[in-house]
Amino acid sequence: MSEYQHRARKRFGQNFLHDAGVIHRILRGIHAKEGERLLEIGPGQGALTEGLLGSGAQLDVIELDLDLIPILQSKFGHEPRFKLNQGDALKFDFNQLNAEPHSLRVVGNLPYNISTPLIFHLLSNAHLIRDMHFMLQKEVVERLAAEPGGGDWGRLSIMVQYHCRVEHLFNVGPGAFNPPPKVDSAIVRLVPHEVLPHPAKDHRLLERIVREAFNQRRKTLRNTLKGLLDSHAIEAAGVDGGLRPEQLDLAAFVRLADQLAEQTTGA
Ligand code: SAM
């Protein structure tokens, strides 16, 4: 037993990576370089941390579990490019990192229970971020990377693709972790657009339209959006109200949101 022995805690979503081949593949996918600014969320016992620091980059980590803090400190604390932040990544103020715009490279084998809110928290700071590499539940990665027309296309795909280019890099089986999770995992790369390809007049209205539309994904838009837009307004946005939400691409949702914006300001 080493002094670093730590019992994985379910409530912190702890599944520690132990497969050297998988760790290497993730690090290769990130390809960190000297002088870059990295932020690792949930370093755990440092499975990825060591390789990230080895690149010569400057690395901040955020870890919630107090018991892991002395372990991380003793492994990496001597390295001046390493900064340990104890706390909840969901509440972390990314501005305190003083990173240049579009510079921060965010990395994490994320606790699955917080992955979606954490991605949204990060996207609200998208201007600081150059890219993100995450290990997530495979099913979530499939939804993030989905295209219109299928069952995976929904609120998560649309709101993330509004901000980012999404790449499903590769899948990882449960055996790569200790303890093994019950589900398959995958690595995803998210790259925030420097210029949004389909900017909405009001981002909150896009969220509202998308939420409303997918609340009942089997129904037609004419039905699901009736509290927000009438058939005439849907048509004015160049959208067929007889379609179901999963048949619409991001640009069409933005047109609907802009129609709602016009209706609201024009009232
Ligand atoms: N990166 C390590 C690895 O690959 O072996 C650990 C990954 S484990 C799936 C998730 C890590 O996130 C754990 O160390 C856990 O304590 C930490 N964590 C859980 N919730 C967190 C939160 N809200 N903020 C920061 N870290 C959190």
Side-chain angles (χ1 to χ4, degrees), residues 25-232:
R25 208 167 161 203
I26 297 170
L27 293 170
R28 242 188 7 232
I30 298 166
H31 198 61
K33 296 204 191 78
E34 196 175 337
E36 289 179 345
R37 286 293 306 268
L38 304 185
L39 170 65
E40 185 186 7
I41 296 175
Q45 304 181 90
L48 295 169
T49 317
E50 191 165 347
L52 292 172
L53 266 178
S55 68
Q58 190 182 328
L59 175 67
D60 272 83
V61 302
I62 311 172
E63 174 56 60
L64 181 60
D65 186 350
L66 282 169
D67 288 351
L68 289 170
I69 300 302
I71 297 177
L72 288 163
Q73 195 57 38
S74 76
K75 278 189 181 171
F76 309 112
H78 60 278
E79 175 54 72
R81 288 178 288 105
F82 176 76
K83 171 133 191 275
L84 181 52
N85 303 276
Q86 192 279 322
D88 183 348
L90 286 173
K91 297 190 184 135
F92 192 79
D93 175 8
F94 300 102
N95 288 306
Q96 75 185 66
L97 297 174
N98 287 322
E100 297 288 319
H102 306 289
S103 70
L104 210 53
R105 307 197 65 199
V106 187
V107 178
N109 168 15
L110 296 186
Y112 294 153
N113 51 340
I114 66 157
S115 57
T116 308
L118 186 61
I119 289 173
F120 282 109
H121 181 43
L122 284 159
L123 288 178
S124 64
N125 295 278
H127 61 287
L128 293 175
I129 299 174
R130 182 177 129 195
D131 59 19
M132 299 176 259
H133 290 80
F134 295 130
M135 172 90 77
L136 300 170
Q137 233 171 297
K138 180 166 152 252
E139 183 203 303
V140 175
V141 171
E142 284 166 353
R143 280 162 51 206
L144 288 170
E147 291 179 7
D152 286 334
W153 179 246
R155 186 169 164 247
L156 186 64
S157 342
I158 296 166
M159 295 319 299
V160 170
Q161 290 181 27
Y162 178 79
H163 292 283
C164 298
R165 179 165 59 79
V166 180
E167 277 176 75
H168 179 164
L169 295 187
F170 56 91
N171 296 335
V172 179
F177 305 86
N178 190 9
K182 291 197 176 66
V183 291
D184 281 329
S185 305
I187 298 287
V188 69
R189 175 184 291 145
L190 306 176
V191 185
H193 302 298
E194 287 205 21
V195 179
L196 294 178
H198 304 288
K201 286 187 176 141
D202 183 339
H203 178 261
R204 285 163 309 175
L205 294 181
L206 176 64
E207 276 175 19
R208 199 157 150 207
I209 286 274
V210 172
R211 195 180 328 114
E212 205 70 27
F214 282 97
N215 257 344
Q216 292 166 294
R217 60 186 299 144
R218 297 267 147 241
K219 291 200 172 171
T220 63
L221 292 158
R222 202 179 290 126
N223 264 312
T224 53
L225 296 183
K226 96 172 150 232
L228 298 173
L229 295 169
D230 63 20
S231 331
H232 177 72

